[in-house]
Amino acid sequence: MAAQNLHTDSREHSATDEAWVSVIRKMDEAYADLVRYQVQVEEQNDALAEAHSFFDSVQAAMSDVLIACDHEGRIQQVNRAFEELTGRALSSLVGQPMESLCSGESRERLVDCLQRIRTEDVRDEQIDIEGADGPVPLALNCSPRFNHRGRLVGIVVAGRPLGELQRAFNELNQAHAELKLAQERLIQAEKMASLGRLVAGVAHELNNPISFVYGNMHALQRYTRRLVEYFDLVQSGASREELRRLRESLRLDRVISDLDSLVEGTMEGADRVREIVNDLRQFSSTQSSEKVPFDLIHVVRSALHWIIKESRVVIDVQEVLPERLEAEGHSGQIHQVVVNLIQNAADAVMDQPQPRLALSAGETAEMVWLEVVDNGPGVAAENLPHLFDPFFTTKPTGQGTGLGLSISYGIVNEHGGTLTIDNHPDGGARARLTLPVNRESKIDG
Ligand SMILES: Nc1ncnc2c1ncn2[C@@H]1O[C@H](COP(=O)(O)OP(=O)(O)O)[C@@H](O)[C@H]1O
Ligand SMILES: [Mg+2]
């Protein structure tokens, strides 16, 4: 029995064992599954973490800002660049309307962009976002986000900060445009001022001779009436005594002695007008005709006479001049140059207690020269480079056209000579003119 029991026992035993084995096998399998699953999860976790850090590093490296909003423009998500730019954490931004990020004109433009995005693309819109340290200009691109039914569910805004360089470039561009405009205005103003100075100068110059021509003609008109009256009496066969009386009462002797100087003065005035007109013409055209020999000293004396006669103050003139000095060219033009130099010197000494001019001239093998030195204030260093510029003058309107030296320079240059102005070591200005010597007349003696 015991043996049978034993037998039965062993059979029962083996059935139980089998059950255990299968349970253990199942457990093993389950465990193996679990391990495999665990490994898989860990692998997936790693991949996810890697993807996360990859995405994070990409995001961190992005200098462009990224803002995701809902369809009404309320912020849902921003990237780190945006947090850094605004100095605000995502948590304080979520739910805010996007336009709250800007102010003023930029705010209006952003609202407009968010409106337009429903119908068109918005690209490169320049908008200032309120940054941590003041407004930051961004070039914004906006893209709409649609759901599977094609309804607008949100907006993605990408913004590129306009770098310092770009900003500087924009500012430079603007400054350049402004400068160009200012320069054009300046040139225009200068032209008008030059024209004004020229017209004022010419008007002043012409006024003087014209007014004395006018005055002389008035006198001549009065005198003519008296002469007509006298000749009528002669014609009527009046007696000698009657004629004498009328002649006396009309003061005809004075009339007759005045006639010459009246006519002469009138001619002189007309000449002066013609000279001024010629000066102007010379300025606009350089007529070139044959050059002829002439005496520079004669030209100097006549110019000096003209200026000293007109001068308001008495000027002491020292001359160290040879008897004659043969030069070659257009004596009329050189006369104009010399008049100009002496006139400038006379103008310069006008307010001196003892106005003085010194004229000297001479010749070398190559050229003849003339120097005009005055005891005026001289030329300020900053003006020296501009003396020969047309319209450069330091004289009040009506007294200077600023054309004298520039015209003179042109004339002298055309003659193959030189004209320089500097300050004399002893004070005052020194003008020096040189002209090519006239060889032929030298040979002729
Ligand atoms: N002898 C001088 N002394 C001082 N300044 C002078 C002299 N000569 C010329 N200048 C300067 O040069 C400027 C230009 O002279 P100019 O061309 O003759 O024009 P303007 O006499 O009509 O002013 C003068 O306004 C003056 O400032
Ligand atoms: Mg002058």
Side-chain angles (χ1 to χ4, degrees):
M1 191 70 211
Q4 196 182 6
N5 272 350
L6 194 71
H7 183 74
T8 314
D9 268 4
S10 76
R11 268 177 44 203
E12 275 176 5
H13 256 282
S14 79
T16 318
D17 280 354
E18 249 171 64
W20 272 113
V21 167
S22 101
V23 165
I24 286 170
R25 200 179 296 139
K26 282 272 183 249
M27 268 179 65
D28 268 352
E29 277 171 20
Y31 186 71
D33 274 352
L34 206 64
V35 168
R36 217 175 316 127
Y37 188 62
Q38 172 81 17
V39 169
Q40 217 173 22
V41 165
E42 265 170 26
E43 273 173 7
Q44 275 172 354
N45 253 351
D46 279 354
L48 201 67
E50 206 167 308
H52 232 278
S53 86
F54 175 75
F55 190 68
D56 265 359
S57 68
V58 167
Q59 258 220 15
M62 227 171 117
S63 60
D64 287 10
V65 303
L66 207 60
I67 311 151
C69 321
D70 64 16
H71 68 288
E72 285 179 311
R74 278 188 302 261
I75 296 172
Q76 293 174 312
Q77 184 63 262
V78 300
N79 70 345
R80 200 179 311 165
F82 190 79
E83 287 180 317
E84 275 166 15
L85 182 94
T86 55
R88 292 170 67 178
L90 172 65
S91 54
S92 79
L93 290 164
V94 170
Q96 300 284 328
M98 213 186 125
E99 64 264 27
S100 70
L101 301 169
C102 339
S103 60
E105 201 195 319
S106 282
R107 192 190 185 107
E108 285 166 28
R109 288 230 302 283
L110 186 58
V111 170
D112 176 58
C113 292
L114 296 177
Q115 253 341 94
R116 273 195 287 142
I117 195 61
R118 291 160 199 276
T119 53
E120 61 181 274
D121 269 6
V122 175
R123 293 271 165 265
D124 274 335
E125 201 62 52
Q126 198 174 321
I127 283 170
D128 290 353
I129 297 278
E130 292 304 322
D133 321 305
V136 182
L138 296 180
L140 292 189
N141 290 334
C142 307
S143 316
R145 224 154 38 81
F146 298 105
N147 67 7
H148 63 280
R149 270 189 254 123
R151 268 191 48 204
L152 181 77
V153 290
I155 300 162
V156 178
V157 179
R160 169 159 300 174
L162 290 176
E164 271 308 307
L165 206 61
Q166 166 108 30
R167 201 173 351 174
F169 178 77
N170 285 350
E171 277 169 18
L172 206 66
N173 230 4
Q174 191 172 348
H176 177 71
E178 278 166 16
L179 208 66
K180 241 172 68 178
L181 195 70
Q183 194 190 24
E184 275 163 22
R185 289 211 188 108
L186 207 66
I187 289 173
Q188 194 57 25
E190 180 54 33
K191 266 192 208 157
M192 293 318 289
S194 297
L195 196 64
R197 279 199 295 272
L198 177 65
V199 169
V202 169
H204 172 85
E205 290 273 295
L206 288 177
N207 215 21
N208 209 19
I210 286 173
S211 68
F212 75 71
V213 165
Y214 196 69
N216 286 1
M217 293 314 281
H218 254 290
L220 281 171
Q221 203 175 32
R222 278 200 318 273
Y223 288 179
T224 310
R225 278 200 293 269
R226 293 191 212 174
L227 288 170
V228 168
E229 196 180 334
Y230 182 76
F231 282 120
D232 282 349
L233 197 67
V234 172
Q235 204 71 8
S236 70
S239 72
R240 208 169 240 286
E241 183 50 25
E242 272 175 314
L243 288 174
R244 194 194 57 78
R245 269 211 305 278
L246 184 62
R247 180 175 177 148
E248 219 160 73
S249 83
L250 290 176
R251 283 181 291 180
L252 283 194
D253 290 338
R254 225 198 90 197
V255 167
I256 286 163
S257 74
D258 263 8
L259 280 182
D260 259 355
S261 74
L262 278 180
V263 170
E264 216 167 275
T266 306
M267 299 254 284
E268 214 172 287
D271 273 348
R272 179 80 187 114
V273 170
R274 194 182 51 194
E275 265 172 47
I276 294 164
V277 172
N278 268 345
D279 280 5
L280 282 172
R281 203 183 288 150
Q282 266 162 25
F283 186 68
S284 60
S285 78
T286 47
Q287 359 127 288
S288 62
S289 57
E290 189 107 349
K291 292 186 172 70
V292 291
F294 69 93
D295 176 18
L296 182 64
I297 300 305
H298 176 76
V299 167
V300 171
R301 287 193 197 285
S302 125
L304 189 63
H305 173 76
W306 175 262
I307 289 153
I308 296 302
K309 196 179 78 175
E310 301 259 299
S311 170
R312 284 189 283 118
V313 299
V314 179
I315 301 174
D316 173 24
V317 182
Q318 297 165 359
E319 298 173 20
V320 185
L321 301 171
E323 200 59 20
R324 282 175 69 80
L325 209 50
E326 298 290 337
E328 195 182 62
H330 305 287
S331 63
Q333 290 185 0
I334 298 302
H335 185 263
Q336 190 186 346
V337 172
V338 176
V339 164
N340 232 314
L341 299 182
I342 299 177
Q343 185 65 63
N344 280 346
D347 289 345
V349 299
M350 206 51 72
D351 297 326
Q352 297 299 319
Q354 287 171 313
R356 211 168 48 240
L357 300 190
L359 299 182
S360 52
E363 63 185 319
T364 67
E366 302 297 322
M367 49 146 194
V368 297
W369 58 268
L370 168 73
E371 258 186 29
V372 182
V373 179
D374 61 64
N375 71 338
V379 181
E382 71 266 25
N383 291 341
L384 274 173
H386 304 295
L387 296 187
F388 298 103
D389 293 351
F391 302 117
F392 176 83
T393 181
T394 54
K395 295 169 193 172
T397 310
Q399 284 177 36
T401 58
L403 287 176
L405 287 180
S406 97
I407 294 173
S408 300
Y409 188 86
I411 292 173
V412 173
N413 210 28
E414 218 228 310
H415 275 75
T418 61
L419 181 60
T420 53
I421 312 251
D422 62 0
N423 288 313
H424 195 273
D426 299 339
R430 166 172 59 190
R432 185 177 165 88
L433 162 73
T434 74
L435 290 171
V437 77
N438 172 26
R439 302 229 161 270
E440 270 176 46
S441 82
K442 295 234 86 155
I443 295 161
D444 293 350

